[in-house]
Amino acid sequence: MTLQELLRGKGTQVHTIAPDATLDDVVQSLMQHRCGSLIVCEGGERTRMVGIITERDIMRACAERRTPLSSYRVRDYMTSNPVTGSPRNTLDDAMAIMTERRIRHLPIVDGEELIGMISIGDAVKARHHLAEVENHYLKTYIHG
Ligand code: AMP
């Protein structure tokens, strides 16, 4: 299965935030959208991706300091130049990248355009579905 096929089922929505937003804004947005990461975009444009910020970065900020999250800017806690996947990568490629790089979120980029986001949860769900389908066909083959 390619990441393009995975996105066809999952959808292409990507939640974004500006670099000068605060970490409190990040927490509110993560809760509102029920997701674990936001792509940081300059100028509010989805195509100008400058970083990624995840719940892990919020945890780091909380551990480092004890002042309110509203006093910290996204640009100081985001990871610049995110590792990305291509729509032509396979599901196995994406799982290998996420495992090797120890990340749970992979923005999918086609040329210059951000076309979706795949989380480790999406990848596990898709892999489980493929295993179930394979299992079904193998049982049908064995039992006739
Ligand atoms: P995560 O496991 O995805 O919550 O992220 C763990 C750390 O890796 C955080 O510091 C993130 O900012 C960073 N991170 C997450 N996804 C990516 C990515 N695709 N490229 C680079 N860094 C990332």
Side-chain angles (χ1 to χ4, degrees):
M1 176 186 268
T2 65
L3 298 185
Q4 181 140 41
E5 288 163 340
L6 200 158
L7 285 180
R8 223 172 271 144
K10 189 220 153 175
T12 56
Q13 192 172 37
V14 182
H15 301 297
T16 63
I17 196 151
D20 54 359
T22 70
L23 294 194
D24 188 51
D25 297 327
V26 173
V27 171
Q28 298 307 322
S29 184
L30 293 179
M31 289 299 108
Q32 183 190 343
H33 298 300
R34 296 167 184 264
C35 63
S37 72
L38 300 173
I39 293 296
V40 184
C41 287
E42 234 159 27
E45 280 180 40
R46 187 172 152 148
T47 45
R48 282 166 48 203
M49 174 172 61
V50 295
I52 185 167
I53 188 153
T54 79
E55 49 204 2
R56 184 66 60 91
D57 301 312
I58 301 293
M59 291 293 282
R60 183 163 52 89
C62 289
E64 277 174 15
R65 314 190 185 204
R66 306 220 172 262
T67 43
L69 289 176
S70 54
S71 35
Y72 302 112
R73 300 283 160 192
V74 167
R75 69 170 84 256
D76 299 322
Y77 284 89
M78 70 182 193
T79 303
S80 303
N81 303 318
V83 178
T84 59
S86 146
R88 287 162 290 283
N89 283 141
T90 64
L91 175 59
D92 286 345
D93 292 335
M95 292 183 99
I97 294 168
M98 287 195 266
T99 305
E100 277 162 24
R101 307 297 291 255
R102 295 176 173 267
I103 53 177
R104 294 170 295 173
H105 302 91
L106 194 64
I108 310 303
V109 172
D110 194 5
E112 294 287 293
E113 194 189 355
L114 176 62
I115 60 163
M117 165 68 89
I118 286 172
S119 72
I120 192 80
D122 299 323
V124 170
K125 188 175 162 192
R127 160 72 40 236
H128 179 68
H129 175 71
L130 288 176
E132 278 194 330
V133 170
E134 189 182 46
N135 191 18
H136 170 79
Y137 281 108
L138 282 174
K139 279 183 179 160
T140 307
Y141 175 73
I142 291 165
H143 298 302

